[in-house]
Amino acid sequence: MNIYIIRHAIAVEPGAPGYEDDSLRPLTGKGSEKMTNIARGLKSLGLRFDLVLSSPYARALETAKILLKVMKMDKEQLVITEHLAPMGFPEQVIGEINENYSSLESIAVVGHEPNLSALISLLAAGDAELAINMRKGGVCCLNAENLLHERRATLEWLLMPKHLVALGERE
């Protein structure tokens, strides 16, 4: 299984007027545009997803919906999970994937920092202490035979948003 860990794109700043509730902060216009190019960049690499698993927070959900649109996926291929909310736990995300989606070949996981770095670290190194810097719109590809052992996945690549935007702008 390929697991693509994707941090949400640029969002309205925390505490901005009208968005005091952190869960309601949307992407900015620049964030939406940049994420569209990132998704195009992923598509240009020949990637496809069987499922997009997303945090319920507005900025992550918007990011996930941009992926669905660019990749021409059905809305039924988007699943929202509380486990990817900022206060979620990586172990719960792994459990949810094992329980419900282990037969899929390719999953995109859209969420927030520092949880995504902890998830990558847990899957690749067996603990959540590996220092990883996921920029907004960054994407990490992991490959796993299964998610049932200590060190569960191999880190295939980690791309910065600017690299994916450059690929997307060529599309």
Side-chain angles (χ1 to χ4, degrees):
M1 168 189 299
N2 287 318
I3 303 168
Y4 298 92
I5 310 292
I6 303 169
R7 185 174 178 195
H8 67 79
I10 302 164
V12 170
E13 288 297 318
Y19 299 105
E20 289 79 10
D21 181 342
D22 186 53
S23 69
L24 301 178
R25 289 191 299 122
L27 297 181
T28 62
K30 179 180 179 182
S32 181
E33 181 181 333
K34 193 170 185 179
M35 191 61 219
T36 299
N37 281 325
I38 289 168
R40 286 180 183 143
L42 292 171
K43 188 175 180 182
S44 78
L45 292 172
L47 301 186
R48 62 167 200 72
F49 310 120
D50 296 316
L51 180 80
V52 176
L53 198 58
S54 177
S55 159
Y57 280 39
R59 57 196 178 273
L61 198 50
E62 286 181 53
T63 297
K65 287 179 179 178
I66 290 169
L67 283 171
L68 257 65
K69 182 178 179 183
V70 171
M71 299 289 191
K72 295 183 176 20
M73 297 171 67
D74 295 329
K75 63 182 177 183
E76 293 79 23
Q77 291 175 280
L78 172 62
V79 175
I80 299 165
T81 178
E82 292 291 332
H83 299 313
L84 285 167
M87 292 305 167
F89 295 95
E91 295 87 355
Q92 292 172 324
V93 175
I94 295 167
E96 184 169 349
I97 292 170
N98 276 333
E99 189 174 316
N100 301 314
Y101 312 115
S102 62
S103 64
L104 300 179
E105 290 183 30
S106 182
I107 297 177
V109 175
V110 182
H112 314 268
E113 278 295 88
N115 299 37
L116 294 181
S117 289
L119 177 61
I120 295 165
S121 179
L122 188 60
L123 287 170
D127 67 55
E129 301 303 316
L130 190 63
I132 296 171
N133 183 13
M134 286 288 292
R135 297 199 182 263
K136 291 176 183 166
V139 181
C140 177
C141 176
L142 299 167
N143 182 274
E145 290 292 320
N146 64 59
L147 300 178
L148 301 174
H149 298 72
E150 284 284 320
R151 187 178 153 266
R152 300 169 174 107
T154 301
L155 176 64
E156 298 290 332
W157 48 259
L158 174 63
L159 290 174
M160 305 294 278
K162 66 182 178 183
H163 300 123
L164 291 164
V165 166
L167 288 171
E169 288 174 343
R170 291 186 206 171
E171 279 292 298

